[in-house]
Amino acid sequence: MLTVADLQGSSKQRNRERTMRVVVQGAAVVTMVVSVLIFFVLARGAYTFLDEIDWDFAVLSDLGWFPRRSRFDLRTILVGSVVMGGVAMVVAVPFGLGAAIYLSEYAPARVRKVVKPVIEVLAGVPSVIVGYFVVRFIAPEFVSKIFDPTHDRNMLAAGVGIGILVIPIMASVSEDALRSVPNSLREASYGIGARKINTVLRIVLPAAVSGLVAAFIIAISRAIGETMVAVMAGGFDGSGPYSGAWPTNPGLTMTTAMTNAVGGTDQDVGGAPFQVLFFVGLILFTITLLLNVIGDRFVNRIRQQY
Amino acid sequence: MFTTPATAGEHAAASVRAGLTRQDRDVAGMAMLATLLFTTLVTLFILVALLAQVIGESSSLLGERGVDFVTSPIGSDPDKIGVWSGLYGSIFIGVFVVLVAIPLGLAAAIYLEEYANAKHRLTRLIMVNIRNLAGVPAVIYGVLGFILFTQWLEPVTNGQSVIAAGLTMALLVLPIVVITSMEAIRAVPGSLRDAGFGVGASRWEVTRDHVLPYAAPGILTGTVLSVARALGEAAPLIIIGAITGLLPETSLTGKFTAIPILIYQWTGRPKPPNSEFAFTESAAAAGLVLLVIVLVFNASAVLLRNRFEKSRVGS
């Protein structure tokens, strides 16, 4: 007679099965631990920072970012991040979206086969090399010649560089959204005599809108979190006065403030100028997390729709 | 009494034919196509300009010094410095990513795709968490690595060492490894698993003998891409404390640096008055070295994927 014991396999097999389940489950749990640790490290350090400045919130709105003089004006670094991120989006949206629409709706298969890998190569270029490219080419040959700023390194030049880094993300997420629009919509549009341009502008783009919004939000999140280009081309390397929101002025971002907090001797000295690393990190983490969660919602929406 | 002229039918037919075949220039459509072509070409041109700048500025230095630039350590004389110290750090960062992030990420992906109940709340939480981790800025991973690996785990890493840097980069690319591996595993046809279970194989046996070999090309592609990403990141290394000035000897547990850090430093340094080369030329040359490494990784990932996919259709 056949019993359960005959079907359940050898005990060796069952033991190995149990071990492997624990191993792979443990690996999945590690990813959760990483998140918890990030939050714990940032929150603990941010608390220490606020303790160091004796919960005196006035130093967080004293104009200018001079950590060594206990002036941590959040507006200076927030405005810098927003301006550079804004410039980056002005660059990335038209070029990224344009390339996405061309690849998804217009490009013949042969052209697509060449152009798409090239954009993927651009996505693989390290940000520090784009930073070098901005400092040595974009800033002196392009931004300075057109806008005539007082310094070669400014928020506009850095923003353009961050935009270059964000173009491939914008392009690939948008293209995914456009390609997930079912062909039946396009065919129906052609069937009632619509031209290509009307089909693309009035049928495909509106149908893909939540995916395009997702691309936009994810791109902003990347732009705000980008570090090297802002550090190398932003103008101020770690401390500076509030110089206004005009893009041709030099500026500081949250990420620049963070890299500067560990630079030089502050790391050994400790205290508020170093602990601010965690405080700014927590703000940056919260902003990008919110943007990513919202972006994720929009991505899921277009997935459910089609 | 009304009569239709004999030619009415012909007139109607002619006007309909004209309406359908009229050579009307679609001005708006052509302007649209021109705009899209322009944006795409500008995007491609940016890459060309970037490569031209890097190659152009590094050519005379590399032409004169050649391999000497690759094997020389960092220092303060732009005529003698090289990328060796950085190359050493970058190679070991890559090694740590392969040793730590790949097994860990692959195991997590196997759990989420093969073992976990996709509808369970905990599974969904883990998935959302991984997607969010992928969006956390690199500089934040630097802060985590600084506390976790250079302070808490100092007995293991000996402080600000290449071990700490490699482990930090491993955490940075972990979500990418998990996501690409999950996609590769998800693409394995269910019939393959059913066949395995049907002949009495356990879940792990099916995973090991059928799912993983079938998904290997996709997993490999993700692996190679994540190593390339880790080699190009600089921000976390600044936070952890990479060396920028003098580094007399390279070791696993001592002070370290990496190629991206060298590019960052040399780009901002002025040219000393008596030297032949400028620091920016060294930055360009180091940039070229890094670009070659990263692009070779990226290209081989794409080639590997194409090759495996072709051989699979044939088999």
Side-chain angles (χ1 to χ4, degrees):
Chain A
M1 203 180 82
L2 197 65
T3 63
V4 176
D6 294 321
L7 289 172
Q8 70 185 169
S10 67
S11 68
K12 195 179 149 204
Q13 195 186 19
R14 266 178 296 142
N15 279 338
R16 196 177 52 195
E17 192 62 32
R18 215 171 294 132
T19 320
M20 284 321 294
R21 177 178 272 276
V22 171
V23 168
V24 294
Q25 199 164 17
V29 171
V30 167
T31 62
M32 296 291 289
V33 173
V34 173
S35 279
V36 173
L37 279 178
I38 288 178
F39 184 75
F40 174 74
V41 163
L42 291 177
R44 192 190 63 147
Y47 182 85
T48 316
F49 168 74
L50 290 172
D51 229 25
E52 292 273 354
I53 61 168
D54 294 326
W55 301 87
D56 174 15
F57 290 104
V59 302
L60 299 179
S61 54
D62 205 357
L63 272 190
W65 186 263
F66 297 101
R68 258 159 262 185
R69 281 187 259 152
S70 285
R71 277 160 71 183
F72 305 96
D73 176 35
L74 289 180
R75 198 175 65 166
T76 305
I77 56 172
L78 283 173
V79 166
S81 285
V82 168
V83 171
M84 290 191 214
V87 173
M89 294 314 286
V90 169
V91 173
V93 168
F95 293 115
L97 191 59
I101 298 176
Y102 176 73
L103 284 178
S104 152
E105 304 297 317
Y106 285 87
R110 271 183 310 146
V111 178
R112 211 184 113 80
K113 234 181 209 168
V114 179
V115 174
K116 210 172 146 64
V118 176
I119 291 181
E120 277 166 10
V121 167
L122 187 61
V125 173
S127 61
V128 68
I129 292 182
V130 173
Y132 157 83
F133 179 57
V134 171
V135 170
R136 299 293 298 159
F137 181 78
I138 302 260
E141 303 295 331
F142 180 69
V143 173
S144 291
K145 290 211 167 129
I146 299 175
F147 298 96
D148 196 28
T150 44
H151 298 286
D152 258 2
R153 299 182 193 185
N154 52 57
M155 294 195 275
L156 184 62
V160 171
I162 298 171
I164 291 174
L165 278 170
V166 174
I167 286 176
I169 298 159
M170 187 75 207
S172 75
V173 183
S174 307
E175 205 214 340
D176 284 345
L178 294 172
R179 288 174 81 81
S180 68
V181 173
N183 258 331
S184 55
L185 287 185
R186 293 184 187 88
E187 283 155 9
S189 172
Y190 291 136
I192 56 168
R195 278 180 165 157
K196 181 116 196 169
I197 181 170
N198 288 330
T199 306
V200 171
L201 290 182
R202 297 200 191 161
I203 306 294
V204 179
L205 287 187
V209 73
S210 53
L212 300 179
V213 172
F216 187 78
I217 293 172
I218 292 168
I220 290 182
S221 165
R222 289 291 171 88
I224 288 180
E226 171 49 39
T227 307
M228 293 318 295
V229 177
V231 170
M232 292 166 83
F236 292 140
D237 58 348
S239 63
Y242 176 67
S243 52
W246 192 244
T248 54
N249 293 336
L252 275 167
T253 60
M254 290 182 276
T255 51
T256 321
M258 287 175 72
T259 54
N260 183 64
V262 295
T265 53
D266 287 341
Q267 201 170 315
D268 308 319
V269 174
F274 169 66
Q275 298 289 349
V276 76
L277 166 73
F278 304 97
F279 185 68
V280 176
L282 187 62
I283 298 174
L284 178 65
F285 177 74
T286 312
I287 294 175
T288 52
L289 182 69
L290 280 178
L291 288 172
N292 290 334
V293 168
I294 299 170
D296 222 40
R297 282 275 160 84
F298 278 102
V299 169
N300 284 337
R301 213 155 95 179
I302 194 162
R303 255 187 224 142
Q304 280 161 10
Q305 240 168 336
Y306 305 115
Chain B
M1 212 176 151
F2 294 101
T3 54
T4 17
T7 53
E10 282 169 35
H11 272 301
S15 84
V16 167
R17 198 178 303 120
L20 286 174
T21 59
R22 188 162 38 130
Q23 294 291 310
D24 177 11
R25 290 260 164 82
D26 179 13
V27 179
M30 287 196 300
M32 173 89 173
L33 181 57
T35 312
L36 294 177
L37 267 176
F38 173 74
T39 58
T40 310
L41 286 175
V42 168
T43 305
L44 301 185
F45 173 76
I46 290 171
L47 183 64
V48 174
L50 186 144
L51 294 176
Q53 172 68 35
V54 171
I55 294 170
E57 193 169 7
S58 64
S59 59
S60 72
L61 186 148
L62 285 177
E64 192 166 312
R65 298 189 49 203
V67 183
D68 180 46
F69 178 76
V70 179
T71 54
S72 298
I74 57 175
S76 52
D77 180 359
D79 296 340
K80 291 195 183 127
I81 54 174
V83 289
W84 173 247
S85 327
L87 194 61
Y88 178 91
S90 289
I91 288 172
F92 277 100
I93 286 171
V95 168
F96 274 99
V97 167
V98 172
L99 290 182
V100 177
I102 309 302
L104 202 58
L106 183 56
I110 290 173
Y111 174 74
L112 290 170
E113 285 295 323
E114 298 294 317
Y115 285 80
N117 174 4
K119 290 200 178 101
H120 196 280
R121 276 181 65 179
L122 187 68
T123 315
R124 284 217 304 251
L125 182 69
I126 293 177
M127 306 252 258
V128 168
N129 177 54
I130 287 170
R131 276 204 298 276
N132 286 331
L133 276 180
V136 172
V139 68
I140 304 267
Y141 281 98
V143 177
L144 173 66
F146 176 74
I147 295 293
L148 181 60
F149 296 125
T150 74
Q151 293 191 348
W152 293 350
L153 294 179
E154 205 199 331
V156 184
T157 60
N158 198 23
Q160 294 162 326
S161 66
V162 77
I163 303 177
L167 290 173
T168 307
M169 288 301 188
L171 290 189
L172 173 82
V173 299
L174 181 62
I176 309 173
V177 176
V178 178
I179 291 171
T180 51
S181 302
M182 279 175 73
E183 274 163 13
I185 292 174
R186 202 175 307 145
V188 177
S191 55
L192 223 65
R193 295 184 185 89
D194 296 342
F197 291 133
V199 294
S202 70
R203 190 165 285 279
W204 171 244
E205 284 165 347
V206 168
T207 305
R208 187 192 58 196
D209 298 336
H210 301 282
V211 175
L212 288 185
Y214 194 95
I219 294 170
L220 201 62
T221 309
T223 303
V224 173
L225 288 177
S226 59
V227 173
R229 166 91 198 273
L231 294 182
E233 280 292 349
L237 302 182
I238 298 181
I239 303 284
I240 290 175
I243 287 297
T244 54
L246 220 57
L247 190 68
E249 55 185 85
T250 46
S251 71
L252 271 182
T253 51
K255 297 275 183 191
F256 76 102
T257 192
I259 299 180
I261 294 288
L262 302 183
I263 300 170
Y264 158 54
Q265 276 298 313
W266 291 343
T267 300
R269 267 190 222 172
K271 182 177 190 259
N274 298 324
S275 66
E276 186 188 352
F277 296 112
F279 274 110
T280 50
E281 288 177 81
S282 304
L288 191 60
V289 172
L290 181 60
L291 266 181
V292 168
I293 297 173
V294 169
L295 294 187
V296 163
F297 268 87
N298 280 326
S300 56
V302 174
L303 285 178
L304 274 172
R305 186 176 54 194
N306 291 349
R307 201 167 155 180
F308 273 105
E309 271 168 6
K310 248 182 223 152
S311 67
R312 179 175 301 153
V313 173
S315 63

